[in-house]
Amino acid sequence: MSAAIPSVACLGVIGRNNNPLHISIFPSYDPTANAFTPVRNPLQFSLLLSSTIDVFDLRSKNSTASGDFGLLHAIDDRLAAYGFETNTGVRMVCIVDMRGRRVEAGGSAGAGGPSQSSTSTSSSSSAAAAAAARASMSSVGAGLRDAELRPVFRAMQSAYVRLLQNPFYDPDEHAPLGGKGGRRITSKKFGDDMKRIGEGWTPGVTAL
Amino acid sequence: MAASKASRIGEEIWKTRIDKVNAELVTLTYGTIVAQLCKDFEDDYPEVNRQLDKMGYNIGLRLIEDYLAKSNTMKRCSNFRETADMISRVGFKIFLNITPQVTNWTTDNNSFSLVFDENPFADFVELPDDGRAQNELWYSNILCGVLRGALEMVQMQVEAHFISDVLRGNDTTEMRVTLIRYIDDELPPEDD
């Protein structure tokens, strides 16, 4: 007996000119093939991220003080987009796959995911988190509380801050004044951070 | 002077006689200088290294006076080994609050390495990914100039350069310092 728990399917960073700064896609567990494959192709994820911009715009008129936009829209019964906006207009989007990971009902994380196989240090903690996640999922049924995503956005924001501290990263190049275009983030360190965040998160994780 | 005593002196001065500034201010200011040099010289990294070294040299010429005033040691170092200890445990300690390891001495005691476990200048830094910066730019090269300038003012001509840097993907950040000669008090050139 195994249960499916949510995982991150895609992390996106959108610049203040509505330009894509960064997109990371994470494969989800596919029980029919017993393998990890992304649930959408890169173009579809890109479009999903674009569609969140409208929601950001609508909601920013009565924006929350914290910048946390919570659930932006539920795309289908599997995917849901959550958002966060900084005061400088950089938006971070996390698309969650509600059935992205599988855990054995017995408590041991069976087909846990890439994070559990790759990082041995986090395996015990993520197994515990997975157990906690299943407990919370069964009590509230499907759906995630907005607070569950807060660690993701906090980690993404601090990764972005670290990126900005790099003197060779020129923010103007990535979102020029004038409101048009901008180059993508090419930093390897930032990419690695996003990978770590996307693979490390499951509901119940409090720090990434 | 024993190394442990030098450590004590460094610690003491750092605690009591140094005005502190925010570390990020230093990191970001230095980062901006290097990034701007790269822009101004159109990514001619060897030239950027030279400029950094020159800036450091001019800093060193002045900084030595401050160092001598703060460290309050009127006594000269008796040999180059002692000089190295004082550079690491007093000099770097009071100006950057780090103590690089002094290692890899040559048998003639004229050349050593400073291995930096931490480098406040290089926090957050990721070298440009243009295929050349990783091989050509010595990001913290200003430190070489500082040592060269400072030691020149106390009658030591040295040559200093980096041989590895964690920013380039090396395991350690290591600077090689070589004593060329002690400068004798030179007489003014005679009129013939």
Side-chain angles (χ1 to χ4, degrees):
Chain A
M1 174 67 201
S2 67
I5 61 165
S7 73
V8 174
C10 172
L11 291 178
V13 183
I14 302 168
R16 63 164 179 228
N17 295 347
N18 292 335
N19 54 316
L21 284 178
H22 178 88
I23 300 176
S24 280
I25 294 169
F26 302 93
S28 299
Y29 181 69
D30 179 0
T32 55
N34 194 24
F36 282 90
T37 47
V39 283
R40 296 278 195 283
N41 64 37
L43 176 63
Q44 287 170 321
F45 271 121
S46 175
L47 293 173
L48 286 176
L49 291 176
S50 301
S51 69
T52 62
I53 294 173
D54 285 336
V55 189
F56 273 113
D57 277 353
L58 273 173
R59 295 225 198 135
S60 62
K61 291 187 181 81
N62 43 12
S63 71
T64 54
S66 68
D68 202 340
F69 279 63
L71 179 67
L72 296 173
H73 65 165
I75 295 146
D76 57 19
D77 64 330
R78 262 192 99 160
L79 295 180
Y82 293 78
F84 180 91
E85 181 172 21
T86 70
N87 282 341
T88 53
V90 176
R91 279 146 291 177
M92 295 161 191
V93 183
C94 175
I95 298 179
V96 175
D97 180 351
M98 291 300 174
R99 300 197 294 271
R101 296 271 183 282
R102 196 189 61 171
V103 284
E104 296 301 329
S108 64
S115 66
Q116 283 156 349
S117 54
S118 62
T119 57
S120 55
T121 50
S122 70
S123 69
S124 62
S125 64
S126 62
R134 263 183 299 106
S136 73
M137 291 304 290
S138 58
S139 60
V140 294
L144 278 171
R145 278 175 292 125
D146 292 347
E148 301 274 28
L149 271 301
R150 212 158 284 157
V152 174
F153 293 126
R154 210 180 306 127
M156 284 177 82
Q157 194 179 10
S158 51
Y160 186 68
V161 170
R162 274 198 297 279
L163 173 77
L164 286 175
Q165 307 267 40
N166 176 11
F168 295 106
Y169 176 85
D170 186 357
D172 261 358
E173 241 173 42
H174 295 266
L177 289 170
K180 276 263 160 51
R183 289 179 21 211
R184 280 178 179 238
I185 295 168
T186 52
S187 159
K188 188 177 169 305
K189 213 192 266 174
F190 185 77
D192 289 346
D193 277 340
M194 291 299 116
K195 193 164 143 51
R196 180 178 52 80
I197 294 165
E199 289 177 352
W201 181 83
T202 48
V205 170
T206 51
L208 287 163
Chain B
M1 198 184 300
S4 60
K5 191 175 175 208
S7 294
R8 228 172 31 247
I9 293 174
E11 196 70 44
E12 175 71 21
I13 301 166
W14 169 257
K15 278 199 193 126
T16 56
R17 255 174 281 173
I18 301 291
D19 298 327
K20 319 286 194 297
V21 294
N22 184 301
E24 282 180 31
L25 173 70
V26 177
T27 309
L28 294 179
T29 308
Y30 183 68
T32 311
I33 291 173
V34 180
Q36 189 62 42
L37 282 174
C38 291
K39 222 175 270 175
D40 289 352
F41 290 100
E42 289 163 352
D43 293 345
D44 178 358
Y45 297 121
E47 182 59 28
V48 173
N49 292 340
R50 263 192 297 283
Q51 292 295 327
L52 284 172
D53 184 85
K54 207 152 107 194
M55 291 161 84
Y57 177 75
N58 288 318
I59 293 172
L61 298 181
R62 293 144 225 257
L63 204 60
I64 184 68
E65 214 60 61
D66 192 25
Y67 164 86
L68 292 172
K70 287 201 170 107
S71 68
N72 225 350
T73 47
M74 292 307 293
K75 198 171 74 64
R76 282 173 172 270
C77 294
S78 51
N79 55 41
F80 198 49
R81 270 181 174 270
E82 200 175 299
T83 307
D85 272 335
M86 291 300 275
I87 290 170
S88 161
R89 293 165 194 272
V90 182
F92 276 100
K93 175 70 189 177
I94 68 178
F95 292 117
L96 290 175
N97 194 23
I98 54 173
T99 43
Q101 296 167 44
V102 181
T103 53
N104 297 345
W105 281 95
T106 49
T107 45
D108 60 357
N109 282 339
N110 274 343
S111 180
F112 64 93
S113 287
L114 288 169
V115 178
F116 295 82
D117 295 323
E118 47 180 342
N119 180 359
F121 287 157
D123 288 344
F124 323 117
V125 175
E126 219 176 323
L127 294 180
D129 191 16
D130 58 3
R132 291 188 303 116
Q134 301 270 343
N135 300 321
E136 294 174 13
L137 180 63
W138 291 114
Y139 183 81
S140 308
N141 215 38
I142 200 164
L143 295 176
C144 299
V146 173
L147 283 189
R148 189 163 62 86
L151 291 176
E152 189 181 295
M153 295 303 273
V154 286
Q155 276 83 45
M156 271 174 269
Q157 191 183 356
V158 298
E159 196 278 327
H161 62 275
F162 276 98
I163 56 175
S164 68
D165 191 339
V166 285
L167 292 178
R168 294 184 172 201
N170 302 126
D171 292 334
T172 54
T173 302
E174 182 171 349
M175 188 206 287
R176 196 82 199 144
V177 182
T178 308
L179 175 69
I180 297 171
R181 66 187 180 106
Y182 286 100
I183 306 164
D184 302 322
D185 288 331
E186 284 169 16
L187 296 169
E190 282 178 50
D191 302 323
D192 283 323

